Amino acid sequence: MFLWQKYASSIEMQSQIAIQISHDKSLTWQAVGQRINEYAFELFQQGVEQDTGVALISKNSLELLLLYLAVIQLGGRVLLINPNTPLEKIDDLCLDNQIEFYYSPVEKKLINATALYFVERSEKTLQSAVTIECDLLRPATMTLTSGSTGKPKAVVHNLKAHLDNAKGVCTLMHFSKQNSWLLSLPMFHVSGQGIIWRWLYKAAQLHLPTEDFYFSVMQSSHVSLVPTQLQRLLSYLQQHRNNTFNTKGVLLGGMQISVELTEAARKLNIETYSGYGMTEMASTIFAKKSDDKCGVGQPLLGREFRLEGNEIWVRGAGLAMGYWQNSEIVPLTNQQGWLQTKDLGIWQNNELIVQGRLDNMFISGGENIQPEQIEKVLKQSDDVVDAFVLPIDDKEFGQRPVAMVKFKDNFSQSAVENLQDFLQNRIERFKQPVAYFPLDTEKCQQDNVKISRAFLKKELKFLLGK
């Protein structure tokens, strides 16, 4: 029996609130179970069954959530796709991943998959649920990697991996049945799905954001945010000082987390947790209660790690079954059974410090340059909101670093000069950017969550007139 079925049939739990849709609208566990059954019935009628691939192409919504669980209840493979993805690319993704059906609330006509439609049905038609036996080891979800270095790969997880990952996060952050978690990140990211499985693992409440997103953040006991969202939350709180803040824990991830930002949150009595995770591990791998150190703590319950040549290797709770390729699940671990993350890290003061991506590193005049190291120093300036470092070609040095910066005030030559002065004694000369460009965080944000380096590279080319 799937967890939502268990809760829906429990006399003790069926009348308890499972999903808070808005201030005055909610669903009990019994209602959630019924709604999932309705969707499962409709899916089954249209041909979805065990091992069928189904793509859901939508922004977060109650409908998307219930459909996601309905496909799993039928034993299907559910692939979530960003609705902003170009239609041709969606078609290719469906073909590559053996997707037979798709659903989108906005009409999309695909060649390689059949559209699903839903109509209202009476309860009499739905007396028996369409379901299979719950198998925690069956392939259930397919989550796309970012695809920044090529075609996105679909990472396949079973339910055990999602629940094992959830257990570690819930333990660290003291998330219990009495708490609520806001669905604050897109479900087509593994971090968004992680929220769902924590909710289900603890039979807690799931809150859906209202139009005033940051007010919704304040109403949930737990929330997942990327640093950009936390920065906006702090600005929101400065403007709405009379609002009560109910959040007990904010889980941060998705990029480098500055100590200055978490300290600013702490001064407002917001408790943050600094985390590090990845799609292949079903979300969070390391996390800690944020402090004055820039690390991400120790591995959570059931996770293991090792450092090989400064590359982070991981395994354990949350590890995916593999990548979906040519109708097969291809293992993603090496011969020793470890996942090589391509992330660089060091172990210092009894915690992991993530230093950046192997594939972001470039060579300038024979010296290895890790952009994230320079970015960290740039963000220490009181004048800087956000910064990214990229390489540009150079005849003498091969490549040189340049910076795209968002200042607290307008981008100007004087702001750049002040920042250059700030860097003088803080970083080696060959690592200091040779040019600065304005950073439009809204324009360069991927899926309204994190800054896309691939997009930044395109933007830099445009700015350079190439």
Side-chain angles (χ1 to χ4, degrees):
M1 185 178 288
F2 294 93
L3 287 177
W4 53 91
Q5 293 176 317
K6 176 183 174 182
Y7 305 148
S9 61
S10 165
I11 295 175
E12 177 189 351
M13 297 186 60
Q14 59 186 209
S15 61
Q16 294 179 10
I17 293 176
I19 302 176
Q20 192 72 42
I21 302 169
S22 62
H23 175 68
D24 58 354
K25 188 177 181 181
S26 61
L27 291 178
T28 63
W29 281 111
Q30 186 175 43
V32 167
Q34 176 64 25
R35 293 283 294 275
I36 293 172
N37 285 343
E38 291 172 6
Y39 277 121
F41 181 87
E42 291 278 357
L43 289 166
F44 183 75
Q45 289 290 97
Q46 295 178 66
V48 177
E49 53 188 22
Q50 190 170 309
D51 300 324
T52 301
V54 178
L56 302 178
I57 310 162
S58 174
K59 295 180 179 179
N60 283 7
S61 66
L62 177 63
E63 180 181 54
L64 178 67
L65 170 65
L66 298 176
L67 276 170
Y68 171 81
L69 298 177
V71 174
I72 292 171
Q73 183 170 300
L74 290 172
R77 293 176 289 109
V78 59
L79 172 67
L80 294 157
I81 299 178
N82 182 347
N84 295 322
T85 305
L87 199 61
E88 184 177 340
K89 187 174 181 180
I90 293 176
D91 238 333
D92 288 343
L93 288 169
C94 289
L95 182 63
D96 291 343
N97 295 291
Q98 285 67 57
I99 298 299
E100 298 174 51
F101 297 94
Y102 72 96
Y103 173 72
S104 170
V106 178
E107 186 176 358
K108 295 179 184 290
K109 293 185 178 180
L110 301 183
I111 299 172
N112 297 320
T114 302
L116 294 166
Y117 298 95
F118 299 95
V119 296
E120 293 291 332
R121 289 185 178 271
S122 66
E123 291 187 13
K124 292 180 181 180
T125 313
L126 304 167
Q127 289 178 354
S128 59
V130 181
T131 186
I132 64 163
E133 183 179 349
C134 178
D135 181 356
L136 295 181
L137 301 181
R138 179 187 302 280
T141 67
M142 304 174 73
T143 310
L144 298 172
T145 57
S146 63
S148 60
T149 57
K151 182 180 286 190
K153 290 187 279 190
V155 179
V156 182
H157 280 100
N158 55 35
L159 300 190
K160 184 178 186 302
H162 283 298
L163 292 169
D164 284 348
N165 186 285
K167 183 177 182 181
V169 176
C170 292
T171 301
L172 173 74
M173 296 184 65
H174 310 290
F175 183 65
S176 70
K177 183 179 178 180
Q178 287 72 41
N179 296 141
S180 58
W181 207 300
L182 183 71
L183 188 56
S184 51
L185 299 173
M187 285 174 56
F188 48 77
H189 282 306
V190 75
S191 48
Q193 292 178 61
I195 296 169
I196 294 166
W197 295 103
R198 291 166 212 149
W199 160 60
L200 289 169
Y201 176 70
K202 284 296 184 180
Q205 285 189 23
L206 184 70
H207 287 187
L208 302 186
T210 61
E211 288 186 11
D212 189 340
F213 177 82
Y214 291 102
F215 179 78
S216 299
V217 169
M218 297 163 58
Q219 304 308 306
S220 303
S221 69
H222 291 70
V223 64
S224 301
L225 300 175
V226 297
T228 304
Q229 290 175 314
L230 178 59
Q231 183 69 60
R232 292 173 184 168
L233 173 63
L234 298 182
S235 298
Y236 180 94
L237 290 172
Q238 291 292 336
Q239 297 168 14
H240 302 80
R241 294 178 181 273
N242 295 329
N243 287 342
T244 303
F245 193 92
N246 298 320
T247 300
K248 295 180 179 178
V250 175
L251 178 61
L252 296 170
M255 61 183 78
Q256 293 286 332
I257 303 163
S258 77
V259 171
E260 290 76 17
L261 181 60
T262 57
E263 179 61 19
R266 188 193 63 78
K267 289 178 180 177
L268 293 176
N269 295 318
I270 301 173
E271 193 169 82
T272 63
Y273 292 77
S274 299
Y276 160 71
M278 60 191 310
T279 302
E280 287 84 349
M281 289 290 286
S283 192
T284 312
I285 310 168
F286 287 74
K288 67 168 185 181
K289 189 178 291 187
S290 303
D291 53 24
D292 60 354
K293 298 181 179 62
C294 61
V296 291
Q298 300 186 5
L300 298 183
L301 191 66
R303 288 80 154 161
E304 298 178 66
F305 88 104
R306 64 191 284 186
L307 293 174
E308 287 290 333
N310 282 359
E311 183 183 11
I312 303 167
W313 290 13
V314 294
R315 67 183 181 189
L319 181 65
M321 301 175 73
Y323 297 114
W324 186 272
Q325 292 180 9
N326 300 320
S327 302
E328 294 182 352
I329 298 175
V330 179
L332 42 71
T333 52
N334 60 22
Q335 292 182 343
Q336 292 82 40
W338 293 89
L339 171 63
Q340 298 178 223
T341 68
K342 295 185 180 179
D343 287 324
L344 294 169
I346 57 172
W347 188 255
Q348 186 173 295
N349 298 322
N350 203 34
E351 68 172 334
L352 179 70
I353 298 175
V354 182
Q355 296 183 304
R357 293 283 297 173
L358 271 170
D359 46 18
N360 287 339
M361 189 172 66
F362 60 93
I363 299 174
S364 179
E367 298 281 358
N368 289 342
I369 291 185
Q370 194 67 45
E372 291 89 344
Q373 182 188 16
I374 305 172
E375 291 161 7
K376 180 181 175 182
V377 180
L378 288 168
K379 292 175 189 176
Q380 290 172 0
S381 167
D382 291 336
D383 297 329
V384 173
V385 174
D386 209 350
F388 285 85
V389 171
L390 299 169
I392 59 169
D393 293 335
D394 184 271
K395 289 183 180 179
E396 182 180 359
F397 293 91
Q399 290 184 310
R400 299 297 300 274
V402 299
M404 299 184 73
V405 183
K406 181 177 178 62
F407 291 106
K408 289 184 179 177
D409 295 322
N410 293 332
F411 187 95
S412 65
Q413 185 59 37
S414 61
V416 169
E417 290 172 357
N418 290 337
L419 186 55
Q420 289 174 318
D421 291 340
F422 175 82
L423 292 181
Q424 285 304 314
N425 299 316
R426 288 178 169 83
I427 197 167
E428 299 94 327
R429 187 169 181 80
F430 71 89
K431 293 181 182 178
Q432 294 177 18
V434 297
Y436 292 80
F437 301 91
L439 171 65
D440 185 338
T441 53
E442 298 288 340
K443 183 179 180 181
C444 299
Q445 216 164 29
Q446 184 182 50
D447 310 330
N448 296 318
V449 174
K450 60 183 179 181
I451 301 291
S452 163
R453 283 190 186 269
F455 191 92
L456 284 177
K457 290 176 182 178
K458 293 179 183 178
E459 184 70 7
L460 180 60
K461 283 185 177 182
F462 173 77
L463 292 170
L464 292 170
K466 294 183 177 181

Coordinates of all heavy atoms in Angstrom, one line a residue, residues 328-358:
E328 N 16.9 1.1 -21.2 CA 17.5 0.4 -20.1 C 18.0 1.4 -19.0 O 18.2 2.6 -19.3 CB 18.7 -0.4 -20.6 CG 18.4 -1.5 -21.5 CD 19.6 -2.3 -22.0 OE1 20.7 -1.9 -21.7 OE2 19.4 -3.4 -22.6
I329 N 18.1 0.9 -17.8 CA 18.7 1.7 -16.8 C 20.2 1.4 -16.6 O 20.6 0.3 -16.3 CB 18.0 1.4 -15.4 CG1 16.5 1.8 -15.6 CG2 18.6 2.3 -14.3 CD1 15.7 1.4 -14.3
V330 N 21.0 2.4 -17.0 CA 22.4 2.3 -17.0 C 23.0 2.7 -15.6 O 22.7 3.9 -15.2 CB 23.1 3.1 -18.1 CG1 24.6 2.9 -18.1 CG2 22.5 2.6 -19.5
P331 N 23.8 1.9 -14.9 CA 24.3 2.3 -13.6 C 25.1 3.6 -13.7 O 25.8 3.8 -14.7 CB 25.2 1.1 -13.2 CG 24.6 0.0 -14.0 CD 24.1 0.5 -15.3
L332 N 25.1 4.4 -12.7 CA 25.8 5.7 -12.7 C 27.0 5.7 -11.8 O 27.7 6.7 -11.6 CB 24.9 6.8 -12.3 CG 23.9 6.7 -11.2 CD1 24.5 6.6 -9.9 CD2 22.8 7.7 -11.3
T333 N 27.3 4.5 -11.1 CA 28.4 4.4 -10.2 C 29.7 3.8 -11.0 O 29.5 3.2 -12.0 CB 28.1 3.5 -9.0 OG1 27.6 2.3 -9.5 CG2 27.1 4.2 -8.2
N334 N 30.8 4.1 -10.4 CA 32.1 3.5 -11.0 C 32.2 2.1 -10.5 O 31.4 1.5 -9.8 CB 33.3 4.4 -10.7 CG 33.5 4.5 -9.2 OD1 33.1 3.7 -8.4 ND2 34.2 5.6 -8.8
Q335 N 33.4 1.5 -10.9 CA 33.6 0.1 -10.6 C 33.7 -0.2 -9.1 O 33.4 -1.3 -8.6 CB 34.9 -0.4 -11.3 CG 34.7 -0.5 -12.8 CD 36.0 -1.0 -13.5 OE1 37.1 -1.1 -12.9 NE2 35.8 -1.5 -14.7
Q336 N 34.0 0.9 -8.3 CA 34.1 0.7 -6.9 C 32.7 1.0 -6.2 O 32.6 0.9 -5.0 CB 35.1 1.7 -6.3 CG 36.5 1.4 -6.7 CD 36.9 1.9 -8.0 OE1 36.5 3.0 -8.4 NE2 37.7 1.1 -8.8
G337 N 31.7 1.3 -7.0 CA 30.3 1.5 -6.4 C 30.1 2.9 -6.0 O 29.1 3.1 -5.3
W338 N 30.9 3.8 -6.4 CA 30.8 5.2 -5.9 C 30.3 6.1 -7.1 O 30.6 5.8 -8.3 CB 32.1 5.8 -5.4 CG 32.6 5.2 -4.2 CD1 33.4 4.1 -4.1 CD2 32.3 5.7 -2.9 NE1 33.6 3.8 -2.7 CE2 33.0 4.8 -2.0 CE3 31.6 6.7 -2.3 CZ2 33.0 4.9 -0.6 CZ3 31.6 6.9 -0.9 CH2 32.2 6.0 -0.1
L339 N 29.5 7.1 -6.8 CA 29.1 8.1 -7.8 C 30.1 9.2 -7.7 O 30.3 9.9 -6.7 CB 27.7 8.7 -7.4 CG 27.2 9.9 -8.2 CD1 27.1 9.5 -9.7 CD2 25.9 10.4 -7.7
Q340 N 30.8 9.5 -8.9 CA 31.8 10.6 -9.0 C 31.0 11.8 -9.3 O 30.5 12.0 -10.4 CB 32.8 10.2 -10.0 CG 33.6 9.0 -9.7 CD 34.6 8.6 -10.7 OE1 34.8 7.4 -11.1 NE2 35.4 9.6 -11.2
T341 N 31.0 12.8 -8.4 CA 30.1 13.9 -8.6 C 30.6 15.0 -9.5 O 29.8 15.9 -9.9 CB 29.8 14.6 -7.2 OG1 31.1 15.2 -6.8 CG2 29.3 13.6 -6.2
K342 N 31.9 15.0 -9.8 CA 32.5 16.1 -10.6 C 32.5 17.4 -9.8 O 32.8 18.5 -10.4 CB 31.8 16.3 -11.9 CG 32.0 15.1 -12.9 CD 31.4 15.4 -14.2 CE 31.6 14.2 -15.2 NZ 31.0 14.4 -16.5
D343 N 32.2 17.3 -8.5 CA 32.3 18.5 -7.6 C 33.6 18.4 -6.8 O 34.0 17.3 -6.4 CB 31.2 18.6 -6.6 CG 29.9 19.0 -7.3 OD1 29.9 19.8 -8.2 OD2 28.8 18.5 -6.9
L344 N 34.3 19.5 -6.6 CA 35.5 19.6 -5.9 C 35.2 19.9 -4.4 O 34.4 20.8 -4.1 CB 36.4 20.6 -6.5 CG 37.0 20.3 -7.9 CD1 37.7 21.5 -8.4 CD2 37.9 19.1 -7.8
G345 N 35.9 19.3 -3.5 CA 35.7 19.6 -2.1 C 36.9 19.3 -1.2 O 37.9 18.6 -1.7
I346 N 36.9 19.8 0.0 CA 38.0 19.5 0.9 C 37.3 19.2 2.3 O 36.2 19.7 2.5 CB 39.0 20.7 1.1 CG1 38.3 22.0 1.5 CG2 39.8 20.9 -0.1 CD1 39.3 23.1 1.9
W347 N 37.9 18.4 3.1 CA 37.4 18.1 4.5 C 38.2 19.0 5.5 O 39.4 18.9 5.6 CB 37.6 16.7 4.8 CG 36.9 16.2 6.1 CD1 37.5 16.0 7.2 CD2 35.5 16.1 6.3 NE1 36.6 15.6 8.2 CE2 35.4 15.7 7.6 CE3 34.4 16.2 5.4 CZ2 34.1 15.4 8.2 CZ3 33.2 15.9 6.0 CH2 33.0 15.5 7.3
Q348 N 37.5 19.9 6.1 CA 38.2 20.9 7.0 C 37.3 21.2 8.2 O 36.1 21.3 8.0 CB 38.4 22.2 6.2 CG 39.2 23.2 6.9 CD 39.6 24.4 6.0 OE1 40.3 24.2 5.0 NE2 39.0 25.5 6.3
N349 N 37.9 21.2 9.4 CA 37.2 21.4 10.6 C 36.0 20.5 10.8 O 34.9 20.9 11.2 CB 36.7 22.9 10.7 CG 37.9 23.8 10.7 OD1 38.9 23.6 11.3 ND2 37.7 25.0 10.0
N350 N 36.2 19.2 10.4 CA 35.2 18.1 10.6 C 33.9 18.4 9.7 O 32.8 18.0 10.1 CB 34.8 18.0 12.0 CG 34.2 16.6 12.3 OD1 34.6 15.6 11.7 ND2 33.3 16.5 13.2
E351 N 34.1 19.0 8.6 CA 33.0 19.2 7.7 C 33.4 19.3 6.2 O 34.6 19.6 6.0 CB 32.1 20.4 8.0 CG 32.7 21.7 7.8 CD 31.8 22.9 8.1 OE1 30.6 22.7 7.9 OE2 32.3 24.0 8.4
L352 N 32.5 19.1 5.3 CA 32.8 19.2 3.9 C 32.7 20.7 3.4 O 31.7 21.3 3.7 CB 31.9 18.3 3.0 CG 32.1 18.4 1.5 CD1 33.5 17.7 1.1 CD2 31.0 17.7 0.8
I353 N 33.7 21.1 2.7 CA 33.6 22.4 2.0 C 33.6 22.2 0.5 O 34.5 21.6 0.0 CB 34.8 23.3 2.4 CG1 34.7 23.6 3.9 CG2 34.7 24.7 1.6 CD1 35.9 24.4 4.4
V354 N 32.5 22.5 -0.2 CA 32.4 22.3 -1.6 C 33.0 23.5 -2.3 O 32.7 24.7 -2.1 CB 30.9 22.2 -2.1 CG1 30.8 22.0 -3.5 CG2 30.2 21.1 -1.3
Q355 N 34.0 23.2 -3.2 CA 34.8 24.3 -3.8 C 34.4 24.7 -5.2 O 34.8 25.7 -5.7 CB 36.3 23.9 -3.8 CG 36.8 23.7 -2.4 CD 38.3 23.4 -2.4 OE1 38.7 22.4 -3.1 NE2 39.1 24.2 -1.8
G356 N 33.6 23.8 -5.8 CA 33.1 24.2 -7.2 C 33.1 22.9 -8.1 O 33.3 21.8 -7.6
R357 N 32.8 23.2 -9.4 CA 32.7 22.1 -10.3 C 34.0 21.9 -11.1 O 34.7 22.8 -11.4 CB 31.6 22.4 -11.3 CG 30.2 22.5 -10.8 CD 29.6 21.1 -10.6 NE 29.5 20.3 -11.9 CZ 29.2 19.1 -11.9 NH1 29.0 18.4 -10.8 NH2 29.1 18.4 -13.1
L358 N 34.3 20.6 -11.3 CA 35.5 20.3 -12.1 C 35.4 20.9 -13.5 O 36.3 21.4 -14.0 CB 35.6 18.8 -12.2 CG 36.5 18.0 -11.1 CD1 36.3 16.5 -11.3 CD2 37.9 18.4 -11.2

